[in-house]
Amino acid sequence: MLRNSVIARESVTAKGDPASAHDVWTGINKLGTDALKLAGLQSQLLQADLKAWYKTVRLSLVLLLIALALVVGSIPSLIAGVALWLERVTPLATGGAFLIVAVLFSVVGVIIGGIALKNCFRSAAEFRLSREELVRNIEWLKSQFESDSSK
């Protein structure tokens, strides 16, 4: 694009028409200014979407951290339970109790984590407006470039 602008400037100035050269640079300047304004507005929209997303996902993130703590915390019990259970091979031995507790905490953690992840992904819809606006802005910029190149 920049190369085309330089070529356009050189071809216009080679014709000796300073008014046309000024018009080209004015158009490029206006298009650049519009693109920067769109980028700023897109940034503001993204910030607003992030705030809205955080409000909807905050509880899910807390639940996800709790689930992660439960699952990670149950790993030592799971390992110790399997080891002690294999050693004794008797029903409801010490290892069996460890194993039951570890599995119970793991299941609870997985359920809470699944619910939290589902809510996190569902709340990602908050970014739909940003995506749609970005697509419209990009299409507008493309149309501006295409209309400038056809002149």
Side-chain angles (χ1 to χ4, degrees), residues 80-98:
V82 169
L84 291 172
W85 182 77
L86 286 175
E87 181 182 16
R88 295 199 180 182
V89 191
T90 58
L92 292 177
T94 306
F98 274 110

Side-chain angles (χ1 to χ4, degrees), residues 100-131:
I100 289 171
V101 170
V103 169
L104 179 65
F105 275 93
S106 293
V107 168
V108 170
V110 167
I111 291 171
I112 292 172
I115 292 169
L117 279 175
K118 183 178 175 183
N119 287 337
C120 286
F121 287 126
R122 188 181 310 141
S123 67
E126 297 288 338
F127 295 105
R128 182 182 50 81
L129 290 176
S130 288
R131 274 194 308 269

Side-chain angles (χ1 to χ4, degrees), residues 60-86:
S60 295
L61 289 175
V62 169
L63 291 175
L64 188 60
L65 289 174
I66 291 170
L68 185 63
L70 288 173
V71 170
V72 170
S74 68
I75 290 173
S77 296
L78 182 65
I79 294 170
V82 169
L84 291 172
W85 182 77
L86 286 175

